[in-house]
Amino acid sequence: EISTGATEQTQGEYAFSLSGIDSEQVYSVADQLMARFQTYPGFQFIRTDRYANTPNLDIQLKRDRARALGISEARILTLLRNAYSQNYLYLIKKTTDQYQVILEVEDSARTAAGDLGRLYIRSDDGRALVPLKELATWSPAVGPQSVNHINQFPSVSFFFNLKPGATIGAAADFITQVAGEVVPPTLRSSFQGKALTFRDATRDLLSLMALAVFVMYVILAILYESYLHPVTVLSTLPTALVGGLAALLVFGEEASLYAYVGMFMLMGIVKKNGILIVDFAIQRRLTGENAVQAIHDASVDRFRPILMTTLAAVFGALPIALGFGADGASRRPLGLVIVGGLVVSQFITLFVTPVIYLYLEWFQENVLDRTSFFRATPHKHGESIAVEEAKSHGP
């Protein structure tokens, strides 16, 4: 039997495959990997799709004898396929039902190896009827149940499930480490199924998250016409992400794909807290207030809107964090990341953001304003923040 995928009875939630040109080398390395994988305590079970000790019947054709009797090798193989492979021939359609026509020998005539001797084959010219035992010999043997392939190369696939509390990230790191030590350069190993999806998605999402932060910085820089105010706004993100990851750690949830989606949502929700504070402080600076008073007034006046939007988002994500609904357990990481990140950022943002704002304002006025390229850009009133502050203090 030649199979292009995993056999159904060996399926697990996650899969890891090994393939190469030399089948004997593939099987030998697979045995070594299996021995190492069984030492990992996080596997609920691990098995392969290779069953090397399956009872088989080894049939050897007498090719010279067949040619002498005028019977081709293809005709012999066709006989065996029609007799034992449940060959589908035709579909009979009726008014209310339809029936498949399948050609095979009766069950009572294929229970023992000796039943092969009861088959007869007609010669190519149709004149002679020869028993199969005159054209082939057979003997019991032990061999593989199937010959599995990936991309037309012999392969062995490992299927495993994880124990409760074990994470796919840790299991994937262990498998990658063992494969790096055991698998030679002539063979190829890779994750399949959910494990492959998780590994690729994690790598891509981290890159996408960095790109999202960069895009947010560019948009905020255009909005505020400043290099430093976007940094103040984005300073709310690390505390929120730490809070989301801490929530996963406290409740024992893994950083699944849902958790990464929650991080993206968290970044968008938390960023608006920084925007509310910084935008209000900039408006106060334009009226002549100094940086300390402006950021203080912004934190006090914007506290109620920030608290209201945060509570609305927390209560909206709370049912997800509690795992309500069909398949709610798989979505819990998403809710925990949002709730944990919002709660932590709510308590820390109002203390950290003003401090960062004041330090960056000092850096802007005392360092960047000395060069024309980084000097604060005039706002719609026609004057920069530094100029406004100078006017408020007089000559």
Side-chain angles (χ1 to χ4, degrees):
E1 177 188 353
I2 297 180
S3 164
T4 57
T7 53
E8 183 178 358
Q9 67 268 25
T10 59
Q11 278 286 12
E13 188 175 4
Y14 306 99
F16 177 79
S17 65
L18 178 71
S19 61
I21 299 176
D22 187 355
S23 59
E24 294 300 326
Q25 185 183 28
V26 171
Y27 298 150
S28 175
V29 174
D31 293 338
Q32 300 177 41
L33 287 175
M34 189 63 177
R36 294 286 299 274
F37 289 162
Q38 289 176 338
T39 62
Y40 185 66
F43 290 144
Q44 188 177 39
F45 71 82
I46 182 167
R47 58 172 68 101
T48 71
D49 61 354
R50 177 174 176 253
Y51 293 91
N53 297 321
T54 303
N56 293 319
L57 196 62
D58 186 13
I59 301 176
Q60 300 291 333
L61 298 182
K62 301 177 180 179
R63 290 177 172 82
D64 295 337
R65 177 65 173 167
R67 282 194 294 268
L69 295 175
I71 300 175
S72 63
E73 181 179 341
R75 184 175 289 271
I76 300 175
L77 297 179
T78 301
L79 171 68
L80 295 174
R81 183 178 69 251
N82 291 338
Y84 298 106
S85 66
Q86 296 186 340
N87 190 34
Y88 171 75
L89 296 180
Y90 187 68
L91 181 65
I92 300 176
K93 295 183 180 180
K94 296 293 185 180
T95 305
T96 59
D97 206 346
Q98 58 185 13
Y99 306 91
Q100 289 184 344
V101 179
I102 297 176
L103 176 64
E104 63 178 357
V105 299
E106 294 182 358
D107 292 341
S108 59
R110 55 175 183 171
T111 57
D115 291 335
L116 283 173
R118 302 168 63 181
L119 296 178
Y120 285 77
I121 186 170
R122 196 171 293 278
S123 61
D124 294 345
D125 57 11
R127 297 179 180 179
L129 192 62
V130 182
L132 182 61
K133 61 184 179 181
E134 295 293 330
L135 306 173
T137 59
W138 49 85
S139 59
V142 176
Q145 183 185 48
S146 62
V147 181
N148 297 295
H149 288 73
I150 293 179
N151 296 329
Q152 300 183 357
F153 292 103
S155 68
V156 175
S157 296
F158 300 84
F159 301 97
F160 59 93
N161 281 356
L162 299 176
K163 293 181 179 178
T167 62
I168 180 57
D173 291 339
F174 172 79
I175 292 175
T176 302
Q177 178 185 354
V178 172
E181 298 173 359
V182 176
V183 179
T186 54
L187 300 182
R188 179 182 179 182
S189 60
S190 62
F191 288 98
Q192 303 290 333
K194 284 188 176 182
L196 178 62
T197 302
F198 176 82
R199 177 59 60 91
D200 293 344
T202 301
R203 182 179 61 251
D204 296 339
L205 285 175
L206 291 176
S207 303
L208 187 59
M209 189 175 295
L211 179 61
V213 173
F214 174 75
V215 171
M216 287 189 291
Y217 174 85
V218 172
I219 295 175
L220 292 171
I222 296 173
L223 175 65
Y224 294 125
E225 298 180 352
S226 170
Y227 293 102
L228 296 182
H229 289 320
V231 178
T232 307
V233 174
L234 297 177
S235 65
T236 60
L237 299 183
T239 56
L241 294 178
V242 169
L245 294 175
L248 293 178
L249 182 62
V250 169
F251 289 93
E253 296 290 340
E254 65 180 27
S256 63
L257 295 181
Y258 280 114
Y260 280 95
V261 173
M263 291 180 192
F264 277 95
M265 298 176 62
L266 184 64
M267 290 168 59
I269 297 173
V270 170
K271 185 186 63 175
K272 55 85 184 170
N273 295 343
I275 293 177
L276 289 174
I277 295 176
V278 172
D279 189 71
F280 195 85
I282 291 175
Q283 298 301 322
R284 287 303 182 97
R285 290 300 303 274
L286 292 175
T287 63
E289 290 187 0
N290 59 47
V292 175
Q293 187 63 38
I295 195 65
H296 177 268
D297 292 344
S299 300
V300 174
D301 294 342
R302 297 291 90 188
F303 175 75
R304 183 179 298 176
I306 291 175
L307 183 61
M308 292 174 60
T309 54
T310 299
L311 289 178
V314 167
F315 285 118
L318 198 58
I320 304 177
L322 296 177
F324 291 154
D327 196 27
S330 64
R331 296 190 298 271
R332 282 196 67 198
L334 187 151
L336 289 174
V337 167
I338 296 177
V339 173
L342 289 175
V343 170
V344 172
S345 67
Q346 179 63 47
F347 286 102
I348 296 179
T349 296
L350 295 177
F351 298 97
V352 174
T353 301
V355 174
I356 296 176
Y357 175 84
L358 292 176
Y359 275 110
L360 294 181
E361 275 291 290
W362 178 90
F363 185 75
Q364 175 72 51
E365 296 174 358
N366 294 274
V367 178
L368 296 184
D369 281 348
R370 295 181 180 180
T371 60
S372 59
F373 183 79
F374 294 105
R375 187 171 297 140
T377 304
H379 291 256
K380 60 182 179 179
H381 292 80
E383 296 176 307
S384 67
I385 295 177
V387 174
E388 290 285 349
E389 184 176 2
K391 286 185 177 181
S392 66
H393 288 83

